Amino acid sequence: MLEAEVEDAENLAMAHWPIPVDLFVSKKHPSLPRGLLAFADSSGNILFRLNSPSHHPKKTLRLLDSAGDPLISIYRHHDGSWQGFKGDDGQKDLLFQVQRVSNKFARTELEVFLVAENHQGELTCDFKVKGCHFQRSCTIYKGDSIVAQTSLMHKLRQIYVSRRKFQLTMFPSFVDPALIVAVVVIFLVNGPKKSKILDKLPVSI
């Protein structure tokens, strides 16, 4: 099973998929300790997961692949900005920076700057993230194109929708899926304090 999961993750990372790809996000995956955030495919195979915060210094997160190898180290700064570095080698190989534009209860907006695209002159925003943390809903834009979206998993005739599990849809593009997942992680962690207090409550529809 582990070999199959590794192969799935490698195929996803290398592919420029022609159709939308859905991942299911939860902190209750049966293969992981309770509380660890996992991104799994429709068969339940883990493709990405977040490390336990207790294993690393405060305000530092590690995005891991299915085998537990670090893909991106995510650092949070006091001003509310974030930086993503390749692998687990400390703050050496910078991949991207994220700036918070708005962080209100009903609206969170982030701007993502790729280092590879901004090696000369002033920083230019490569992606924009807009959404509502409480609803677990965000859209990642590249220009006018939608790269990915998250949404709660609504069911027919369901009055209340749990926010403990939601869906990430990545649309056809040449964007590294690990980068998309890292940005979604930052969006989730970056929610306003009021929203975090209400995180355990379901959503009424």
Side-chain angles (χ1 to χ4, degrees), residues 10 16 20 37 115 151 176 204:
E10 290 177 347
H16 304 310
L37 191 67
V115 173
S151 60
D176 183 356
S204 177

Side-chain angles (χ1 to χ4, degrees), residues 43-61:
S43 298
N45 299 318
I46 296 175
L47 301 184
F48 303 98
R49 60 189 176 95
L50 206 60
N51 72 296
S52 171
S54 61
H55 294 168
H56 293 281
K58 190 177 181 181
K59 298 182 180 179
T60 302
L61 300 171

Side-chain angles (χ1 to χ4, degrees), residues 110-134:
L110 307 173
E111 291 185 344
V112 183
F113 304 86
L114 301 181
V115 173
E117 304 295 331
N118 288 279
H119 58 278
Q120 294 181 347
E122 297 183 0
L123 290 178
T124 302
C125 177
D126 296 284
F127 300 97
K128 290 188 177 182
V129 186
K130 299 180 181 181
C132 175
H133 180 272
F134 180 74

Side-chain angles (χ1 to χ4, degrees), residues 157-168:
R157 297 179 181 176
Q158 187 176 15
I159 299 177
Y160 294 98
V161 181
S162 171
R163 297 184 302 113
R164 297 179 183 273
K165 184 176 182 180
F166 58 97
Q167 181 173 310
L168 166 62

Side-chain angles (χ1 to χ4, degrees), residues 7 11 29 35 50 54 64 69 71 75 97 102 105 113 116 175:
E7 183 178 356
N11 289 340
H29 195 281
L50 206 60
S54 61
L64 313 176
D69 296 323
L71 297 173
Y75 293 84
Q97 301 181 61
S102 175
F105 177 72
F113 304 86
V175 181

